[in-house]
Amino acid sequence: MAEDRNFTLKIITPNRIFYEDDAVSMVEFNTTEGEIGIYKRHVPTTVIIKPGILTITKEDEIKEAALHAGFAEILEDEVTILAEIVEWPEEINAERAEAARKRAQERLQSKTPETDLARAETALLRAMARIEVLK
């Protein structure tokens, strides 16, 4: 029974309900502790999201989006992601993403005293997530 393996996934941003479905079989994304894959009956926990690719798996379908920041509450039969920004591939401007990647790399390479390395690294991760989800 496929339904027995499914759980509810809600992805909410400050501007909209990005995604909501009660027939998801797996969701994957990056956390500050590493990549995580969640199935139904996962140990309840809360995690902090790190920029990367969000992969949503349903029975015969896989969807990907660029997920940038936020946190996730994981329960046995429901996952709620509160995201700062999350984008479907068709919402991403490839030229802007590539320009952002170049700017972030330049900031990281310059390493001037004014450079906020953590911010530049996060900008690079966001740009790379956008570029990767377009492939």
Side-chain angles (χ1 to χ4, degrees), residues 102-118:
K102 287 179 182 175
R103 279 192 311 274
Q105 284 180 325
E106 288 168 2
R107 275 186 264 148
L108 287 170
Q109 290 171 351
S110 72
K111 294 185 183 174
T112 64
E114 304 84 44
T115 302
D116 183 341
L117 292 177

Side-chain angles (χ1 to χ4, degrees), residues 43-91:
V43 174
T45 189
T46 302
V47 296
I48 299 170
I49 294 167
K50 186 174 178 180
I53 304 295
L54 167 75
T55 304
I56 302 166
T57 304
K58 293 183 64 170
E59 191 170 312
D60 295 327
E61 178 182 22
I62 295 177
K63 293 183 176 198
E64 290 187 330
L67 178 60
H68 300 296
F71 68 92
E73 177 187 46
I74 302 163
L75 303 174
E76 287 189 15
D77 61 354
E78 182 176 322
V79 175
T80 302
I81 296 174
L82 298 178
E84 180 184 312
I85 300 169
V86 59
E87 302 163 298
W88 295 118
E90 59 271 12
E91 298 173 328

